[in-house]
Amino acid sequence: MLRTHKLGEADRIVSLLTRNHGLVRAVARGVRRTSSRFGSRLEPFTHVDLQLAEGRNLDTITQAETLDPFSSGLGEDYERYTAGTVMLETASMLVSEEKQPSVQQFLLLVGGLRAMVSGERRPSQVLDSYLLRSLAGAGYAPSFEHCARRGVEGAHRWFNPAMGGVLCATCRIPGSANPAPETLQLLGALLAGDWPAVQNAEPRHLREGSGLVAAYLAWHLERGLRSLAYVER
Ligand SMILES: [Zn+2]
């Protein structure tokens, strides 16, 4: 469940990321009434098993069973809740097409939320790993080892979101960041899900890495949104 909007007196429109049908928008009738059978199950973050009746414009939810109530685990922890919100927003932007299969994005989001709720890892590490992996899954895999421009093997010292990752001394362009080598190794480990390597990282490299992930995400989502604006709806 990615987000919900009110509709009329008692209904909601819910946006969902589904395992087999990608992004789905559906009407949940009567869910804002206290007597609703499944109103509380249709909240953001919740992993549900749904049955839908196909409609002319929007499908209607006829049944909902909770599989993982991630929201109850996230709601008590502000840092985890906000990180989870970024994950939902990122998923809804990366999977922009409705009803196109996106099993990988679905599994990344559910796995990421599960890790976020479990509390075993720092929220920022779970978030950064999710962002790098979901961007990679959407075709925007960053390069932390080979030069993003000419593929020359590293290690390289320069990082540029617009160029897709690290740059060698020859390809480096003005405005590139110059992160610590340990930070680039950390980002590679976050992308690969190599948690032992992530756990050994120093706080300053984690901080620097989070900044680079945020810059990389902003560049790609902004570009994605700009191209979306030209799509006829
Ligand atoms: Zn190069």
Side-chain angles (χ1 to χ4, degrees), residues 99-158:
K99 299 197 173 177
Q100 296 296 312
S102 53
V103 182
Q104 189 190 17
Q105 290 294 341
F106 175 85
L107 294 176
L108 282 169
L109 182 61
V110 171
L113 289 174
R114 199 165 279 149
M116 192 63 85
V117 170
S118 81
E120 285 166 27
R121 298 183 181 116
R122 306 263 321 134
S124 58
Q125 291 167 20
V126 177
L127 175 61
D128 287 346
S129 179
Y130 167 77
L131 294 175
L132 290 174
R133 297 173 83 174
S134 60
L135 280 161
Y140 306 123
S143 170
F144 297 121
E145 215 175 295
H146 296 80
C147 171
R149 204 163 177 185
R150 293 189 309 170
V152 180
E153 209 167 322
H156 300 304
R157 294 176 47 204
W158 309 95

Side-chain angles (χ1 to χ4, degrees), residues 84-105:
T85 304
V86 174
M87 291 165 72
L88 295 193
E89 280 175 14
T90 302
S92 68
M93 287 192 219
L94 290 178
V95 186
S96 51
E97 293 264 327
E98 286 191 27
K99 299 197 173 177
Q100 296 296 312
S102 53
V103 182
Q104 189 190 17
Q105 290 294 341

Side-chain angles (χ1 to χ4, degrees), residues 147-152 156 166-172:
C147 171
R149 204 163 177 185
R150 293 189 309 170
V152 180
H156 300 304
V166 291
L167 296 173
C168 67
T170 316
C171 298
R172 117 182 215 212

Side-chain angles (χ1 to χ4, degrees), residues 162-201:
M163 298 304 295
V166 291
L167 296 173
C168 67
T170 316
C171 298
R172 117 182 215 212
I173 54 172
S176 301
N178 181 207
E182 293 91 337
T183 300
L184 293 173
Q185 279 168 19
L186 164 68
L187 290 173
L190 285 166
L191 177 59
D194 178 358
W195 289 105
V198 173
Q199 247 135 23
N200 290 330

